[in-house]
């Protein structure tokens, strides 16, 4: 029962994030490409939502807490690495707004693509996570798309 409830809660959170992404980015990313990645249930380290060809979004919604857990960020980074995308962690606790965590390089595209135009930093200072509200996250993603 508990597992089914947490899966339902997760799916509900993913649908909310898809709606936010469609509302905020639907004019620059084909709305129908912004959807839940249902293979995540069959495959390990598979991201929840893909935005364009750039962002791999991991979504978490838990009952209580005040900050993201390190293993959530590690999971987001692993799945993004497999796709050669920028990791994004969208997370919240009950009765709180979503917050978004991305690597600090996401604020400056020039910094991100230092020596390879087809991949992003996977370690070092550029991977330092920064957390922002939804409006800021949408602004950062718009800049890249």
């Amino acid at each position: 029962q508990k597992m089914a409830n947490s899966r339902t809660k997760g799916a509900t959170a993913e649908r909310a994030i898809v709606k936010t992404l469609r509302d905020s980015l639907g004019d620059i990313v084909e709305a129908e490409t912004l959807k839940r990645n249902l293979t995540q249930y069959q495959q390990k380290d598979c991201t929840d939502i893909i935005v364009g060809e750039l962002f791999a979004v991991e979504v978490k919604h838990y009952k209580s807490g005040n900050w993201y857990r390190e293993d959530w960020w590690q999971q987001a980074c692993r799945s993004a690495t497999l796709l050669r995308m920028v990791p994004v962690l969208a997370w919240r606790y009950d009765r709180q707004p979503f917050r978004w965590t991305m690597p600090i390089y996401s604020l400056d595209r020039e910094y991100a693509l230092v020596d390879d135009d087809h991949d992003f930093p996977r370690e070092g200072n550029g991977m330092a996570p920064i957390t922002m509200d939804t409006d800021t996250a949408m602004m950062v993603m718009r800049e890249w798309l």
Side-chain angles (χ1 to χ4, degrees):
Q1 179 69 17
K2 189 169 172 47
M3 180 67 179
N5 286 347
S6 69
R7 188 168 278 190
T8 301
K9 188 176 205 168
T12 302
E14 289 169 19
R15 283 192 290 275
I17 292 297
V18 166
K19 183 182 183 336
T20 296
L21 292 165
R22 283 185 177 159
D23 291 350
S24 302
L25 307 174
D27 60 324
I28 50 176
V29 176
E30 291 183 46
E32 58 275 5
T33 66
L34 291 168
K35 60 183 184 280
R36 294 175 57 223
N37 179 8
L38 298 177
T39 57
Q40 65 180 296
Y41 295 115
Q42 288 93 42
Q43 220 172 316
K44 185 178 178 344
D45 289 335
C46 208
T47 197
D48 294 333
I49 301 165
I50 293 172
V51 181
E53 294 179 6
L54 276 173
F55 296 99
V57 182
E58 187 64 37
V59 181
K60 299 291 182 187
H61 180 185
Y62 279 77
K63 183 174 181 157
S64 61
N66 62 0
W67 201 244
Y68 69 88
R69 293 191 347 216
E70 184 60 28
D71 60 310
W72 300 349
W73 177 239
Q74 296 305 325
Q75 181 184 1
C77 291
R78 276 194 312 273
S79 55
T81 296
L82 293 174
L83 297 166
R84 296 174 70 131
M85 292 183 174
V86 178
V88 177
L89 175 63
W91 56 277
R92 67 175 285 221
Y93 293 100
D94 288 357
R95 293 174 294 289
Q96 291 182 24
F98 272 100
R99 287 182 262 183
W100 301 70
T101 302
M102 300 181 200
I104 198 163
Y105 75 72
S106 63
L107 296 183
D108 185 352
R109 193 181 184 118
E110 305 262 320
Y111 180 69
L113 301 169
V114 258
D115 55 0
D116 180 354
D117 287 345
H118 306 292
D119 205 1
F120 304 101
R122 300 291 170 207
E123 56 192 23
N125 293 343
M127 285 304 295
I130 54 167
T131 298
M132 58 199 88
D133 64 16
T134 295
D135 289 345
T136 306
M138 294 305 106
M139 187 177 69
V140 168
M141 292 168 97
R142 282 188 82 83
E143 287 294 312
W144 283 73
L145 298 163

